[in-house]
Amino acid sequence: MPDGPIIEVRNLKKVYRYGSVDVPALRGVSLDVAAGEFMAVLGPSGSGKSTLFHIVGGLLAPSSGTVRVAGQDLGAVSDAQRTEMRKRTVGFVFQRFNLLSTLNAEENIRIAQHIGGTQGDEEHFEHVTRILGIRHRLRHKPHALSGGEQQRVAIARAIINQPSILLADEPTGNLDSENSLAVLDTLKTLNDSLGQTVLMITHNPDAARYCASSTVRMKDGRIDGRDEQAT
Ligand code: ADP
């Protein structure tokens, strides 16, 4: 792993074209996420959080500015290298879990191992599924799991290839308060005990306060404030 921040964003801008109208979503965002940090990006709907998430994850191209992830300049790499990065360097968790409904929990995680080329690492599989508290649910298909369990399977899938950064977009957005707390506890544990670096997008200040070590607040496509906090 190269020295320096895991994520380095500089003067990032994104303008969407909507019909004949330009919609500025990011108006010059700069931030660093250090190894081992748990950063929350907080802000109201429309402030540009998802756009930032998608660009940092290599899912969307910026209009201008630079993003380095684990030392790689996303603007300078080939499509093949970007695809490789999405398989191994970054783990994604979304609000809607996105589990494959015809596969059971274990198969959903195994398929990520297969894609990442880490199949056969049984020790890590056991460790991850134990930490996430899902070992007794591995044979169940998503429809037989609670929302919180589905999200914990999705988190297992996201970290099974030991990514440098876990990107979570509103990971509790589809959950009731009890399941939300369980998922936030899980993310906090991964950060505390495995040193997993996390960047979490949320509109919920309580979720940010509960588990993040630092928070940036977004407003109208800009960073409007930053806090370091004791959780
Ligand atoms: P957030 O995640 O904070 O809700 P977004 O990044 O989704 O914010 O959106 C930021 C701005 O960009 C909003 O004004 C939104 O309407 C606009 N936007 C997002 N996606 C698109 C798109 N695909 N086309 C046009 N405008 C978009």
Side-chain angles (χ1 to χ4, degrees):
M1 182 61 55
D3 290 341
I6 299 280
I7 294 179
E8 193 182 292
V9 173
R10 291 291 175 272
N11 201 18
L12 198 63
K13 297 185 181 168
K14 177 70 183 178
V15 179
Y16 293 104
R17 187 96 185 142
Y18 188 70
S20 59
V21 179
D22 283 344
V23 182
L26 297 178
R27 300 168 189 254
V29 169
S30 298
L31 60 83
D32 286 347
V33 184
E37 189 169 0
F38 191 138
M39 181 183 282
V41 178
L42 188 63
S45 181
S47 57
K49 305 182 302 297
S50 295
T51 301
L52 177 66
F53 177 94
H54 285 97
I55 294 175
V56 167
L59 302 168
L60 181 70
S63 303
S64 63
T66 57
V67 178
R68 294 175 78 85
V69 178
Q72 278 197 311
D73 180 347
L74 295 194
V77 299
S78 64
D79 285 351
Q81 285 169 312
R82 214 181 347 263
T83 302
E84 208 49 38
M85 182 201 88
R86 284 198 297 262
K87 280 195 234 164
R88 295 294 301 270
T89 310
V90 181
F92 293 96
V93 175
F94 298 98
Q95 181 172 349
R96 292 187 182 277
F97 322 138
N98 295 344
L99 297 175
L100 296 171
S101 60
T102 54
L103 302 182
N104 68 27
E106 172 163 357
E107 290 161 344
N108 265 282
I109 304 167
R110 295 277 185 205
I111 206 167
Q113 267 189 314
H114 188 73
I115 290 168
T118 64
Q119 66 270 46
D121 189 347
E122 289 309 309
E123 208 177 310
H124 186 59
F125 181 88
E126 192 180 322
H127 186 54
V128 164
T129 49
R130 176 156 298 123
I131 277 196
L132 287 166
I134 52 173
R135 286 198 67 74
H136 62 303
R137 309 297 277 161
L138 288 175
R139 303 275 173 232
H140 291 74
K141 290 197 173 156
H143 68 84
L145 302 172
S146 72
E149 286 170 339
Q150 288 186 60
Q151 192 59 302
R152 281 184 283 142
V153 172
I155 294 170
R157 179 182 59 180
I159 63 162
I160 198 67
N161 296 327
Q162 302 183 259
S164 306
I165 177 90
L166 176 63
L167 294 178
D169 189 3
E170 300 280 5
T172 59
N174 256 355
L175 300 174
D176 60 26
S177 55
E178 192 181 326
N179 277 307
S180 291
L181 202 56
V183 163
L184 292 175
D185 276 332
T186 299
L187 292 172
K188 202 159 141 52
T189 302
L190 293 177
N191 178 247
D192 288 343
S193 66
L194 292 182
Q196 176 69 56
T197 312
V198 182
L199 181 68
M200 178 177 78
I201 305 291
T202 181
H203 66 274
N204 180 350
D206 290 335
R209 224 176 349 257
Y210 187 69
C211 49
S213 51
S214 59
T215 299
V216 298
R217 274 172 274 113
M218 289 192 68
K219 193 179 165 194
D220 299 332
R222 290 195 177 88
I223 290 182
D224 191 41
R226 299 169 194 259
D227 304 314
E228 303 294 322
Q229 64 226 22
T231 48

